[in-house]
Structure formats: structure tokens, C-alpha cells
Amino acid sequence: MPKCPPLSRQKKIRLRNAAAGTLFLAMLPLMTAAVSDAMPSSASSAAFLAASASAFLSVGDVFQNASNTEISETYQENMAAEIAADKSPQSREKLFAVDDTFMLSYGELLIPNSTDEERRVPDKIYDVGPEPYPENLESRDGAITAMCYGNFKGDNYIDLDIAGQVRNVTSLPNSTLLEESRLAPDFEIEKNGEPQVLIMHTHATESYEPYERDFYDSSFNSRTTDPNMNMAAVGDAIAEQLEAAGIAVLHDTTMHDYPSYNDSYDRSRETVQKILEENPSIKIVLDIHRDAIERESGERIAPVAEINGKNAAQVMIISGCDDGTMGMPNYLKNFRFASLLQQQLESDYQGLTRPILFDYRKYNQDLTTGSILIEVGGHANSVDQAVYSGELIGKSLAKALT
């Protein structure tokens, strides 16, 4: 079983604590328009890294400086082409920002993850044609390390009464969240044949490794339209367990991130609104994703827990908080539901969960009082690990709701 050290995944890493051993991907230079237009596309990666020491990329999250960088479209295209053509290990360092919102890495996007689900990405690189799951992914381009994220310590971690934790990165007091976690959800599930739960996927094409292993093939961007290998397979596993418990489910497998990743939350919002209008009996909306955790060296982390003798992808619930500008007044009702599920999961399957992420996110969670986002493993987990976790989520959710 993978070891479970008390890790600390900080959302933003500043220069003063970059040496503390926290996960981060790479320095991210922010260049002015004049510098970027003048610099030739063949410039060395060292020159890029030297351009600025004020911004870092941490687990996919951009730490921005005060400037609003502009980079010419021609420069973007030239750099994208250069990075795509260069498969050398050094090309991993050729990272750059466009409008402070996205990054490229040798021909593919640094994969959005739980810290930046809504970040915009470069269409010319990320938006591609149909993606059947590759028949061969055996090139050993980087390492995968299985890691079990255990309990965390720190002022922003809350131990829930029964089991599990919350990571509070808002200004709300921990005491308020602890009190809310003790309240029942704002709905009741009925076993009357009418749909109670909607399972959907804003990023349906997110996918996994073909089998459990300690290496990855970098030719694959961890996205596929194959429903047996992407998030639809995990959603099916959850739905199967709920239905077995007599809870009616709708599972929508629309690929809102295909062919374009950008604005996928706008598209999924339209889908969910339409389904809710047609099925007012629905109380819960589960947006099922997977995470992506990668170290500066290119090593990928597979969050894993051993449950009943099998490796399962660890699960992280994201519950959004309204900062007063997001039109989400009932966010604490979503949090009550998230806390219920977190405690049930961790009680049933110790070690399966990572702390709930309670942060200023919307993710369309204003549409019901039972809306949460669930990250099932990451891009380094195997599809079997993720589907197994889907089964466990379904079983615990059914137990929590009945």
C-alpha cells in the first residue's frame, strides 16, 4: 500500500517558500509584449526562465504578478510550433504565459486540474479532433509515483466530527464550516422512480492511464472521446450503485470539453439547466472529473488508497464558496452535502478521500443545493482504479442518502 505522509499541496507558492519541498511545476516567466515580440522562437529555455522570478506555476495554478502580459498571436503560434516539434527533455522547461491565464509545454497543454478547472487554454494546441484512446502507450517518458494523501495539519484544515477533513482556503472561520458540516442537506431523496441524482461531466474527455504502472507515455495528452476510458466510465460506476439502491439517476455523458475545452462550464451549465427544467425531481448534481498532479521534474503523482485489497484512486470533493460576487447564495447548503458524503466515504473506506477543497469556486454550483464537483484520482491513475473508486462513491452516497 502506498505510504500516506502528511503532505501539503499549497495553491500558490511564493519564492520565499519554494524550497520547502511543496509540489510545484515550474517557474513561469511573464514577459511584456515588447520583449516577447522581439525574442526569436529559437531562444533558449534558460532565457525564458530568467525573464521573471515573480510568478510560479503550482499544480497547474498561475501565481501572477501585477502586470497584464500581452503576447502577439504570431509569437504564440511560433512558440507553439517550436514546442510541439521539440520532444527533448529540455523542452519541458519552455513554459510561457499568455494573458496570465495559460501555459504550454512541448506541444501539449499543462493539463488543467483541481486548482484551475476554469483556466482558459490555447485552442490551437488543446482543441484537437476526435481522440480514440491510443492503441499503444508504452514509451517510458516519465515516472509515475503512487502516493496516498493522508490527514493534513495546519490552520486551514478542519477535522470533521465523524471522519475526513476540509481544506478551508476562504475567509470563512473554520468554526462556521464545522457547524455547517453538522447540519443535514437541504433536500430529501425519494425512491419513487423519479430522477433524484444527475451525474454529468464538464470535462468528460479527461482520462487515465491504461493500466496501473510506474511510467507514462508523454505522447498522450490524457484526453479521449472513448467513453470506456474517460470520465463517463466513472460516472457509469457511480450510477450503477445508486440504481442498485433504488435511487433513480440520470447520467449525462455530453462531452462539453470537446472539441473545445474553453467555455466548457458555460456549455455544461446549459445542459444541466435543461435537464433540471425537464426533471424538477433532481436534488443532486455530481460533476465528475479527475485531477492532474505533476512535479517540476515531470514525475506524475497517482493518488491511491488500498481499499479491500485493491488500489482505488483517491477522491477529492470541491465545494465552492461565494465571495459576494458569484451569485451563489446557497453555497453552504452544498457544503453540508459535501460534508455528509465526505464523512460517509471516509467512514466506509478509510484513506479513500483527500480533504474537501472549500474555495472561491463556482463550477455551476448555484443550480441546486446538492451540487458538488468530485475529482476521482488523477491523470496518472489507471482507469481501473478510477472506476473502482466510482463504485465506492456510489455505494457510500447511496448509504448517506437513505
Side-chain angles (χ1 to χ4, degrees):
M1 178 176 177
K3 295 180 180 179
C4 294
L7 300 177
S8 178
R9 290 182 60 225
Q10 297 185 10
K11 181 182 176 184
K12 297 178 179 179
I13 300 180
R14 298 179 184 272
L15 181 58
R16 63 174 178 268
N17 64 8
T22 315
L23 290 182
F24 70 96
L25 294 178
M27 283 186 66
L28 184 64
L30 298 178
M31 296 175 288
T32 64
V35 172
S36 63
D37 289 337
M39 185 175 290
S41 61
S42 59
S44 69
S45 58
F48 282 95
L49 293 177
S52 172
S54 62
F56 285 83
L57 176 61
S58 170
V59 199
D61 187 26
V62 182
F63 179 62
Q64 303 170 355
N65 66 6
S67 67
N68 184 18
T69 305
E70 295 180 358
I71 298 180
S72 72
E73 184 175 350
T74 300
Y75 180 75
Q76 295 174 37
E77 292 176 355
N78 288 345
M79 275 304 304
E82 179 193 356
I83 296 171
D86 183 1
K87 293 240 177 216
S88 68
Q90 291 77 15
S91 65
R92 269 196 175 278
E93 298 176 0
K94 293 179 180 177
L95 305 174
F96 66 94
V98 181
D99 294 335
D100 294 352
T101 56
F102 59 71
M103 300 71 66
L104 301 179
S105 174
Y106 79 161
E108 65 179 275
L109 176 74
L110 282 175
I111 302 168
N113 58 27
S114 59
T115 68
D116 58 2
E117 284 281 354
E118 294 175 294
R119 171 167 52 80
R120 297 190 67 81
V121 301
D123 292 342
K124 291 181 175 62
I125 296 295
Y126 204 79
D127 296 344
V128 295
E131 292 190 46
Y133 198 87
E135 294 182 4
N136 189 300
L137 283 175
E138 299 302 309
S139 177
R140 293 175 176 265
D141 297 327
I144 290 175
T145 299
M147 182 177 295
C148 180
Y149 289 84
N151 283 344
F152 292 73
K153 295 181 180 179
D155 292 341
N156 62 332
Y157 287 96
I158 306 166
D159 292 325
L160 297 175
D161 289 343
I162 299 173
Q165 290 186 310
V166 177
R167 180 188 174 202
N168 179 17
V169 291
T170 74
S171 61
L172 241 64
N174 288 353
S175 58
T176 298
L177 293 184
L178 188 57
E179 288 300 318
E180 288 290 335
S181 73
R182 295 166 177 159
L183 300 177
D186 186 51
F187 53 80
E188 292 185 6
I189 295 300
E190 300 176 84
K191 294 185 178 181
N192 57 7
E194 296 183 351
Q196 305 292 303
V197 179
L198 169 62
I199 299 172
M200 45 74 63
H201 314 277
T202 296
H203 299 149
T205 69
E206 292 175 332
S207 60
Y208 301 91
E209 290 293 319
Y211 57 91
E212 187 173 329
R213 59 189 188 177
D214 62 2
F215 70 92
Y216 65 87
D217 185 332
S218 64
S219 67
F220 181 45
N221 70 351
S222 301
R223 293 178 70 214
T224 182
T225 55
D226 183 345
N228 296 311
M229 302 299 286
N230 65 21
M231 301 316 302
V234 181
D236 283 342
I238 299 172
E240 182 178 352
Q241 296 303 318
L242 292 175
E243 289 168 348
I247 300 171
V249 180
L250 289 181
H251 182 198
D252 182 86
T253 59
T254 302
M255 289 181 282
H256 301 100
D257 59 335
Y258 169 79
S260 174
Y261 180 94
N262 290 327
D263 303 315
S264 51
Y265 276 97
D266 292 338
R267 290 187 289 275
S268 67
R269 183 179 186 83
E270 292 178 3
T271 296
V272 172
Q273 285 177 319
K274 184 174 186 295
I275 292 174
L276 292 178
E277 288 173 3
E278 296 172 351
N279 300 273
S281 58
I282 290 175
K283 316 292 197 315
I284 292 171
V285 177
L286 305 178
D287 192 354
I288 308 299
H289 296 243
R290 62 113 177 94
D291 209 341
I293 309 171
E294 186 167 327
R295 286 181 166 164
E296 179 190 18
S297 63
E299 176 190 17
R300 294 181 179 177
I301 304 301
V304 172
E306 184 178 317
I307 307 296
N308 298 328
K310 293 173 58 177
N311 280 343
Q314 281 189 298
V315 173
M316 182 172 71
I317 299 169
I318 300 180
S319 184
C321 177
D322 193 341
D323 62 2
T325 68
M326 299 160 70
M328 196 165 60
N330 294 319
Y331 66 91
L332 283 174
K333 294 181 178 180
N334 287 328
F335 177 73
R336 295 174 196 171
F337 170 52
S339 298
L340 173 68
L341 178 55
Q342 174 81 353
Q343 294 183 93
Q344 188 71 61
L345 281 167
E346 195 61 23
S347 296
D348 293 341
Y349 311 109
Q350 184 177 5
L352 180 61
T353 69
R354 296 157 62 191
I356 294 172
L357 176 58
F358 185 73
D359 197 1
Y360 294 113
R361 317 288 178 89
K362 188 167 185 178
Y363 299 156
N364 296 325
Q365 292 181 7
D366 59 311
L367 297 179
T368 75
T369 57
S371 293
I372 56 175
L373 187 152
I374 304 179
E375 304 270 6
V376 181
H379 63 334
N381 289 96
S382 73
V383 65
D384 286 344
Q385 291 172 348
V387 170
Y388 180 42
S389 293
E391 174 189 332
L392 301 179
I393 292 168
K395 288 179 177 178
S396 285
L397 179 57
K399 188 183 297 187
L401 295 178
T402 55

